[in-house]
Amino acid sequence: MKILVAEDDLRLLKNIAFMLKKECYVVSCAKNGEEALEMALIEEYDLIILDWMMPKMDGVIVCKELRKRNYEGGILMLTARDDAQDVIFGLDNGADDYLIKPFKMEVLFARVRAILRRKSKPIERIIPLGEYVLHMDERTLYRNQEKIELTKNEFLLLEYLFINKGRILTREQIYDHIWGYDEYVSNNALDALVKLVRKKVDTDDSPSLIQTIRGTGYKLRDAYV
């Protein structure tokens, strides 16, 4: 599921994006309403999370404009305004739900799941790649129909590589996706994680699924893409 988060509080934006990625959503970020509208008209998103008070264009205007252009995905509005008339105004202008700041992440996740259930068909999310199939909901990998059990971080690594198959991901990008921008981890944590994943997913008669790009990061090997 692809989610766009639009919020001008950059720390809150990064925190929401990081936590949603941990829940295995594919997340894009916008820092103002104008940028959010532009991104939403170019890319398809299952859900858009909009802050009400943003520079250049507020969340309600973005919401109203998206509905005018036949956007059918979910829209969740975030705001510190808790007056009943504000809630009604936001919902009447196209929002599916409304969350008042400050909020707990668990509540945000519950609202996200509820909107996506209403908006989505129950389709199993999988990414096939040669002899491999990554099951997003199960958080498992299958090789030739044999299940490979993964830890949380092993899955997050493979998920990020599978979603970005064909692209080189820098070490910094992978660190941010797995451990977050403000969590301290050792410099060799990623290398150790890749080694563990290779032991689980590679076979003796084939090159490793994960290719090291010296001085940059990692990617899925072209032979599999």
Side-chain angles (χ1 to χ4, degrees):
M1 291 288 181
K2 297 175 69 174
I3 298 177
L4 172 63
V5 183
E7 168 64 65
D8 63 325
D9 181 335
L10 297 187
R11 184 168 183 82
L12 179 58
L13 175 64
K14 286 183 177 181
N15 193 28
I16 291 173
F18 171 63
M19 296 302 289
L20 286 171
K21 287 176 183 177
K22 285 283 193 182
E23 295 294 305
C24 296
Y25 297 107
V26 179
V27 183
S28 300
C29 297
K31 303 179 188 68
N32 59 66
E34 191 175 272
E35 184 181 10
L37 180 59
E38 185 177 314
M39 292 174 69
L41 294 176
I42 295 172
E43 189 87 23
E44 286 190 16
Y45 294 98
D46 300 287
L47 172 68
I48 300 176
I49 300 174
L50 293 171
D51 181 38
W52 183 311
M53 299 299 293
M54 288 188 291
K56 297 190 178 181
M57 188 182 295
D58 71 47
V60 174
I61 294 175
V62 175
C63 181
K64 193 172 181 179
E65 187 63 28
L66 286 171
R67 294 307 188 199
K68 278 173 58 179
R69 301 193 187 205
N70 299 316
Y71 172 72
E72 296 181 351
I75 297 178
L76 173 61
M77 195 76 67
L78 306 179
T79 182
R81 304 169 70 161
D82 59 358
D83 184 79
Q85 290 304 312
D86 289 328
V87 176
I88 293 169
F89 184 70
L91 295 173
D92 283 347
N93 277 279
D96 293 287
D97 206 347
Y98 197 99
L99 190 56
I100 296 170
K101 298 178 180 177
F103 53 82
K104 292 185 176 181
M105 283 295 169
E106 293 85 352
V107 177
L108 175 66
F109 295 157
R111 299 288 178 91
V112 166
R113 290 193 298 268
I115 293 173
L116 290 174
R117 278 198 303 271
R118 295 196 297 268
K119 294 287 183 179
S120 305
K121 296 177 182 178
I123 300 173
E124 185 180 10
R125 299 180 298 155
I126 64 171
I127 305 178
L129 189 71
E131 64 197 70
Y132 298 94
V133 180
L134 187 71
H135 288 247
M136 306 288 279
D137 297 319
E138 287 184 23
R139 297 195 174 196
T140 54
L141 181 73
Y142 286 79
R143 184 182 62 225
N144 294 326
Q145 300 184 341
E146 290 188 11
K147 186 176 182 179
I148 301 172
E149 296 288 350
L150 301 169
T151 66
K152 181 178 74 172
N153 285 348
E154 288 168 353
F155 173 80
L156 288 172
L157 172 63
L158 285 172
E159 173 214 33
Y160 200 35
L161 289 168
F162 269 66
I163 288 170
N164 292 282
K165 56 187 177 182
R167 292 179 53 200
I168 297 171
L169 298 175
T170 67
R171 296 177 65 85
E172 291 75 15
Q173 287 174 316
I174 299 171
Y175 267 103
D176 182 59
H177 180 77
I178 297 174
W179 290 286
Y181 67 97
D182 60 355
E183 184 174 335
Y184 175 78
V185 291
S186 64
N187 290 331
N188 64 350
L190 178 56
D191 301 312
L193 180 61
V194 169
K195 187 176 180 180
L196 289 171
V197 172
R198 281 173 170 161
K199 283 183 178 180
K200 287 188 175 184
V201 307
D202 291 343
T203 58
D204 294 334
D205 56 350
S206 299
S208 177
L209 175 65
I210 302 172
Q211 180 180 354
T212 301
I213 307 301
R214 192 175 298 277
T216 304
Y218 295 94
K219 64 176 290 191
L220 291 181
R221 191 171 297 277
D222 290 336
Y224 294 96
V225 176

